[in-house]
């Protein structure tokens, strides 16, 4: 028989309990890393210009703006004695994401690839949002920072491996070059591997993690019975937005500048770095006489140089996943024994990432990109843990899923602004039209986000008590 409520305090969980409930993020990050590292390359291959690329990304944040709060609201109001509260959403998102990852690199034309990105981002968000809420569901207050940092650790592993997949597949003998307008086979295989990892890692978490029933199960059932459906949910979401805690709004400002910066990297790092650092921009077929043997050979050489450079850009981008993993590991070990100041950790981390972005402009030897991405990884590791840990101390547990979804509006809104012209307009206006200047804008934005941490003043939100795990 189901208990109507849980009155006891949440028990402290072991390392393996927290690891198991976080492991599904490995697959989620495979999806995000392949999307972030190689979608612009796919868009360019299918004929998009540098100026068009940010706009082609707009479907992804638009999807998140709609999906995240709705999924959060629905998962808050879901309970099944076998499947739990959040796990049904993990599974649905994983199945849809896996199917899309298999199909996306086979897109025959540009608009199909853009549509696949829309479906992929929606599907990933269906899985991701409940994962954030699961930490707050399962862990006592003293372990939440630890839980979010554990997620960051696994995200870092996923980012590094997935970002290196096309390079590794090419090294194993699969070609990274194809005819004009065709995505290379190495990318197709990498996306297929990513889809398989996504599904398997989510299944691991589903089968190794149990969930607690909502605190007042009888009240939830009554509320769901009396609810008028999704329209009532939309009304409640808007009411929650208007009544959000002050700390959540202030954290939203920090998130805005942070995610604007990372959107600039995901959408324009490949064209910016292949051109500025590697001196190997994507060759335009119309610039070559393809009926002439010598000219056709020059095009083939330029195309190979671009694809090799793009592989390496993806590989170097994976370094930010690796460094975020190292940062998360150090932070996990430190937080397990000592109190930490979330505010200042997040501030210093964002400043480090800003320096990493700006340094790209001055790099002439591609090998030095490693150091830029190490700094960016420090900020990424903090972005994926500290804001959520601070937020979980400022909102009510009964609305944890919905508020986590609403909070992610501060992630998608800056990306929508960037995608619909804000990114191109600002870096053209402030720094110049070369794509590398988008990285200067990203660095500036991240530094502003770091300094915005001075706005956070609530001691309960700032301080994390050691987990002593």
């Amino acid at each position: 028989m189901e208990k109507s409520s849980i009155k006891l305090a949440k028990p402290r969980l072991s390392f393996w309990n927290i690891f198991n409930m976080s492991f599904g993020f490995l697959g989620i990050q495979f999806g995000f890393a392949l999307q972030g590292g190689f979608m612009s390359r796919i868009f360019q291959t299918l004929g998009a210009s540098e100026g068009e690329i940010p706009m082609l990304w707009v479907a992804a944040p638009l999807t998140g703006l709609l999906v995240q709060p709705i999924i959060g609201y629905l998962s808050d109001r879901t309970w099944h004695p076998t499947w739990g509260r959040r796990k049904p959403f993990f599974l649905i998102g994983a199945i849809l994401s896996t199917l899309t990852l298999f199909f996306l690199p086979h897109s025959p034309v540009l608009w199909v690839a853009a549509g696949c990105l829309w479906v992929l981002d929606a599907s990933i968000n269906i899985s991701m949002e409940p994962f954030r809420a699961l930490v707050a569901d399962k862990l006592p207050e003293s372990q939440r920072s630890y839980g979010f940092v554990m997620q960051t650790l696994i995200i870092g592993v996923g980012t590094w491996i997935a970002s290196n997949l096309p390079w590794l597949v090419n090294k194993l003998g699969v070609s990274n070059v194809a005819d004009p307008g065709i995505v290379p086979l190495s990318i197709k295989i990498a996306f297929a591997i990513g889809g398989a990892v996504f599904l398997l890692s989510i299944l691991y978490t589903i089968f190794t993690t149990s969930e607690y029933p909502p605190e007042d199960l009888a009240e939830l059932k009554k509320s769901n019975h009396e609810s008028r459906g999704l329209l009532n949910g939309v009304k409640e979401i808007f009411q929650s937005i208007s009544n959000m805690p002050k700390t959540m709004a202030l954290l939203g400002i920090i998130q805005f500048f942070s995610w604007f910066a990372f959107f600039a990297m995901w959408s324009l790092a490949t064209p910016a770095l292949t051109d500025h650092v590697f001196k190997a921009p994507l060759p335009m077929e119309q610039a070559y006489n393809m009926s002439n043997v010598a000219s056709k050979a020059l095009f083939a050489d330029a195309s190979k140089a671009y694809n090799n450079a793009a592989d390496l850009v993806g590989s170097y981008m994976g370094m930010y996943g690796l460094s975020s993993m190292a940062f998360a590991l150090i932070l996990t070990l430190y937080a397990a024994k000592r109190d930490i100041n979330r505010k200042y950790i997040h501030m210093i981390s964002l400043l480090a990432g800003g320096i990493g972005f700006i340094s790209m402009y001055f790099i002439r030897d591609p090998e030095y990109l490693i150091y830029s991405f190490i700094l960016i990884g420090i900020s990424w590791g903090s972005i994926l843990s500290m804001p959520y840990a601070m937020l979980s101390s400022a909102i009510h547990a009964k609305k944890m899923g919905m508020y986590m979804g609403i909070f992610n509006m501060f992630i998608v809104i800056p990306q929508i602004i960037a995608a619909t012209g804000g990114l191109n307009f600002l870096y053209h206006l402030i720094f110049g039209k070369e794509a590398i200047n988008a990285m200067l804008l990203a660095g500036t934005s991240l530094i502003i986000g770091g300094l915005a941490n001075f706005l956070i003043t609530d001691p309960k939100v700032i301080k994390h008590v050691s987990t002593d795990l």
Side-chain angles (χ1 to χ4, degrees):
M1 181 178 294
E2 296 174 22
K3 295 181 179 180
S4 63
S5 63
I6 293 179
K7 301 298 184 183
L8 298 176
K10 296 172 185 174
R12 296 169 62 79
L13 300 185
S14 70
F15 168 86
W16 286 112
N17 290 141
I18 299 174
F19 175 85
N20 290 342
M21 64 186 277
S22 303
F23 188 76
F25 248 114
L26 179 74
I28 290 173
Q29 197 55 34
F30 261 68
F32 270 131
L34 289 169
Q35 171 184 300
F38 302 99
M39 274 309 305
S40 292
R41 178 177 176 180
I42 291 173
F43 286 152
Q44 280 192 292
T45 300
L46 295 175
S49 67
E50 289 180 4
E52 294 171 329
I53 288 174
M55 188 63 186
L56 290 168
W57 277 81
V58 72
L62 275 174
T63 301
L65 184 64
L66 298 173
V67 169
Q68 290 168 352
I70 292 174
I71 293 299
Y73 170 82
L74 292 175
S75 70
D76 279 344
R77 302 170 73 87
T78 296
W79 175 252
H80 187 278
T82 301
W83 291 102
R85 191 179 195 181
R86 315 295 182 183
K87 292 193 290 186
F89 298 93
F90 300 168
L91 183 59
I92 293 168
I95 293 171
L96 293 174
S97 297
T98 296
L99 293 173
T100 309
L101 284 166
F102 273 95
F103 180 77
L104 191 155
H106 297 272
S107 300
V109 291
L110 189 58
W111 69 266
V112 173
C116 285
L117 175 60
W118 176 77
V119 176
L120 178 62
D121 205 76
S123 303
I124 294 175
N125 277 298
I126 291 171
S127 286
M128 185 184 73
E129 287 318 303
F131 258 101
R132 296 295 191 192
L134 183 65
V135 169
D137 290 346
K138 294 275 289 181
L139 297 180
E141 175 70 28
S142 64
Q143 287 190 304
R144 286 183 185 171
S145 289
Y146 189 98
F148 286 116
V149 170
M150 177 67 78
Q151 286 187 349
T152 302
L153 184 65
I154 292 172
I155 287 170
V157 175
T159 300
W160 181 69
I161 297 174
S163 298
N164 280 282
L165 271 179
W167 172 84
L168 177 60
V169 170
N170 176 240
K171 291 300 180 183
L172 292 174
V174 179
S175 176
N176 67 350
V177 179
D179 293 334
I182 304 296
V183 176
L185 182 59
S186 60
I187 298 293
K188 294 175 180 177
I189 292 176
F191 271 64
I193 294 171
V197 172
F198 198 126
L199 183 59
L200 292 173
S201 64
I202 292 288
L203 289 174
Y204 178 87
T205 286
I206 288 174
F207 289 119
T208 60
T209 301
S210 61
E211 294 191 71
Y212 303 140
E215 291 184 1
D216 197 327
L217 188 54
E219 181 182 330
L220 176 65
K221 288 181 177 180
K222 181 181 178 182
S223 176
N224 284 342
H225 179 71
E226 295 175 350
S227 173
R228 295 180 180 177
L230 189 58
L231 288 178
N232 187 65
V234 172
K235 179 181 178 181
E236 186 174 342
I237 289 170
F238 277 104
Q239 288 175 341
S240 297
I241 291 172
S242 64
N243 296 322
M244 75 171 64
K246 178 183 176 182
T247 296
M248 181 174 171
L250 295 175
L251 286 168
I253 295 172
I254 300 168
Q255 291 288 80
F256 181 95
F257 288 103
S258 302
W259 286 86
F260 188 97
F262 274 85
F263 181 87
M265 181 186 75
W266 293 325
S267 60
L268 289 176
T270 295
L273 298 177
T274 53
D275 185 5
H276 183 77
V277 178
F278 288 87
K279 309 302 181 186
L282 177 71
M284 296 293 102
E285 186 179 0
Q286 56 268 31
Y288 294 81
N289 179 5
M290 301 304 286
S291 62
N292 180 279
V293 175
S295 184
K296 191 173 182 178
L298 289 174
F299 175 84
D301 289 343
S303 180
K304 184 173 181 59
Y306 166 78
N307 281 291
N308 286 338
D311 278 351
L312 289 173
V313 169
S315 180
Y316 286 134
M317 284 180 71
M319 184 56 64
Y320 86 84
L322 194 62
S323 66
S324 72
M325 178 186 69
F327 174 79
L329 180 60
I330 293 169
L331 193 56
T332 298
L333 296 174
Y334 188 88
K337 298 295 182 183
R338 298 175 179 84
D339 297 351
I340 61 173
N341 187 304
R342 296 161 170 168
K343 168 181 171 177
Y344 287 120
I345 286 176
H346 197 44
M347 178 186 296
I348 294 169
S349 300
L350 295 186
L351 294 177
I355 294 170
F357 276 119
I358 292 171
S359 70
M360 292 177 177
Y361 183 85
F362 303 98
I363 289 175
R364 294 297 178 265
D365 185 343
E367 291 187 0
Y368 288 104
L369 284 172
I370 290 175
Y371 303 106
S372 299
F373 281 111
I374 286 174
L375 292 173
I376 291 168
I378 293 172
S379 66
W380 183 239
S382 188
I383 286 169
L384 294 176
S385 56
M386 289 299 106
Y388 295 98
M390 287 190 275
L391 177 66
S392 70
S393 298
I395 56 180
H396 197 285
K398 289 185 178 180
K399 291 189 175 183
M400 189 66 67
M402 181 167 62
Y403 268 125
M404 285 291 179
I406 291 171
F407 187 57
N408 280 323
M409 292 172 62
F410 296 114
I411 291 175
V412 298
I413 289 173
Q415 295 182 69
I416 292 170
I417 292 172
T420 53
L423 175 59
N424 286 343
F425 174 78
L426 286 174
Y427 87 76
H428 288 178
L429 177 68
I430 299 172
F431 298 108
K433 292 186 177 181
E434 294 79 9
I436 191 62
N437 291 322
M439 302 302 102
L440 293 178
L441 180 62
T444 303
S445 182
L446 212 51
I447 289 171
I448 294 172
L451 296 176
N453 277 274
F454 282 119
L455 298 171
I456 307 300
T457 57
D458 185 347
K460 181 180 70 174
V461 170
I462 293 170
K463 186 178 181 181
H464 159 75
V465 179
S466 64
T467 63
D468 196 29
L469 189 65

